[in-house]
Coordinates of all heavy atoms in Angstrom, one line a residue:
Y181 N 20.3 4.2 -8.9 CA 20.8 5.0 -7.8 C 22.2 5.4 -8.2 O 23.1 4.5 -8.3 CB 20.8 4.3 -6.4 CG 19.5 4.1 -5.8 CD1 19.0 2.8 -5.6 CD2 18.6 5.1 -5.4 CE1 17.8 2.6 -5.0 CE2 17.4 4.9 -4.9 CZ 17.0 3.6 -4.6 OH 15.8 3.4 -4.0
Q182 N 22.5 6.6 -8.3 CA 23.8 7.1 -8.8 C 24.1 6.3 -10.0 O 23.3 6.3 -10.9 CB 25.0 6.9 -7.7 CG 24.9 7.9 -6.6 CD 23.9 7.5 -5.5 OE1 23.9 6.3 -5.1 NE2 23.2 8.5 -4.9
R184 N 24.5 3.0 -10.2 CA 24.1 1.6 -10.1 C 22.7 1.4 -10.6 O 21.7 2.0 -10.1 CB 24.3 1.2 -8.7 CG 24.4 -0.3 -8.5 CD 25.2 -0.6 -7.3 NE 24.5 -0.3 -6.0 CZ 23.7 -1.2 -5.4 NH1 23.5 -2.4 -5.9 NH2 23.1 -0.8 -4.3
I186 N 19.3 -0.5 -10.5 CA 18.6 -1.4 -9.6 C 17.5 -2.1 -10.3 O 17.4 -3.3 -10.1 CB 18.0 -0.5 -8.4 CG1 19.1 0.3 -7.7 CG2 17.3 -1.4 -7.4 CD1 20.2 -0.5 -7.0
G204 N 12.5 -12.2 -3.1 CA 13.8 -12.1 -3.6 C 14.8 -11.6 -2.5 O 14.3 -11.1 -1.5
P205 N 16.1 -11.8 -2.8 CA 17.1 -11.4 -1.8 C 17.0 -10.0 -1.5 O 16.6 -9.2 -2.3 CB 18.4 -11.8 -2.4 CG 18.1 -12.7 -3.6 CD 16.7 -12.4 -4.0
S206 N 17.5 -9.6 -0.3 CA 17.6 -8.3 0.1 C 18.5 -7.5 -0.8 O 19.5 -8.0 -1.3 CB 18.1 -8.3 1.6 OG 18.6 -7.1 1.9
G207 N 18.1 -6.2 -1.1 CA 19.0 -5.4 -2.0 C 18.7 -5.5 -3.4 O 19.4 -5.0 -4.3
T208 N 17.6 -6.3 -3.8 CA 17.4 -6.5 -5.3 C 16.4 -5.5 -5.8 O 16.0 -5.6 -7.0 CB 16.9 -7.9 -5.5 OG1 15.8 -8.2 -4.6 CG2 18.0 -8.9 -5.3
G209 N 16.0 -4.5 -5.0 CA 15.1 -3.5 -5.6 C 13.6 -3.6 -5.3 O 12.8 -2.9 -5.9
K210 N 13.2 -4.5 -4.4 CA 11.8 -4.7 -4.2 C 11.1 -3.4 -3.6 O 10.1 -3.0 -4.1 CB 11.6 -5.9 -3.2 CG 12.2 -7.1 -3.8 CD 12.0 -8.3 -2.9 CE 12.5 -8.2 -1.5 NZ 14.0 -8.1 -1.5
S211 N 11.8 -2.8 -2.6 CA 11.2 -1.6 -2.0 C 11.2 -0.4 -3.0 O 10.3 0.4 -3.1 CB 12.0 -1.1 -0.8 OG 11.9 -2.1 0.2
T212 N 12.3 -0.4 -3.8 CA 12.4 0.7 -4.8 C 11.3 0.5 -5.8 O 10.7 1.5 -6.2 CB 13.8 0.5 -5.5 OG1 14.8 0.7 -4.6 CG2 14.0 1.5 -6.6
F213 N 11.0 -0.7 -6.2 CA 9.9 -1.0 -7.1 C 8.6 -0.5 -6.6 O 7.8 0.2 -7.3 CB 9.9 -2.5 -7.5 CG 8.8 -2.8 -8.5 CD1 8.9 -2.4 -9.8 CD2 7.7 -3.6 -8.1 CE1 7.9 -2.8 -10.7 CE2 6.7 -3.9 -9.0 CZ 6.8 -3.5 -10.3
D343 N 4.9 -3.3 2.1 CA 6.3 -3.6 2.1 C 6.6 -4.4 3.4 O 6.8 -3.8 4.4 CB 7.1 -2.4 2.0 CG 8.6 -2.7 1.6 OD1 9.0 -3.8 1.6 OD2 9.3 -1.7 1.2
V373 N 5.4 -7.1 -0.7 CA 6.8 -7.6 -0.6 C 6.9 -8.5 0.7 O 6.4 -8.1 1.7 CB 7.8 -6.5 -0.5 CG1 9.2 -7.0 -0.2 CG2 7.8 -5.7 -1.8
Ligands
ADP62 P1 15.1 -4.6 -1.4 O1 13.8 -3.9 -1.0 O2 14.9 -5.7 -2.4 O3 15.9 -5.0 -0.2 P2 15.9 -1.9 -2.1 O4 14.9 -1.4 -3.1 O5 15.6 -1.4 -0.7 O6 16.0 -3.5 -2.2 O7 17.3 -1.4 -2.5 C1 18.0 -1.8 -3.7 C2 19.4 -1.4 -3.6 O8 19.5 0.0 -3.7 C3 20.1 -1.8 -2.3 O9 21.4 -2.1 -2.7 C4 20.1 -0.5 -1.6 O10 21.2 -0.4 -0.7 C5 20.2 0.6 -2.6 N1 19.5 1.8 -2.2 C6 18.2 1.9 -1.7 N2 17.9 3.2 -1.5 C7 18.9 3.9 -1.9 C8 19.2 5.4 -2.0 N3 18.3 6.2 -1.6 N4 20.4 5.7 -2.5 C9 21.3 4.9 -2.9 N5 21.1 3.5 -2.9 C10 20.0 3.1 -2.4

Side-chain angles (χ1 to χ4, degrees):
Y181 286 119
Q182 287 83 41
R184 198 151 71 90
I186 303 297
S206 160
T208 51
K210 303 182 299 296
S211 294
T212 301
F213 180 70
D343 197 348
V373 172

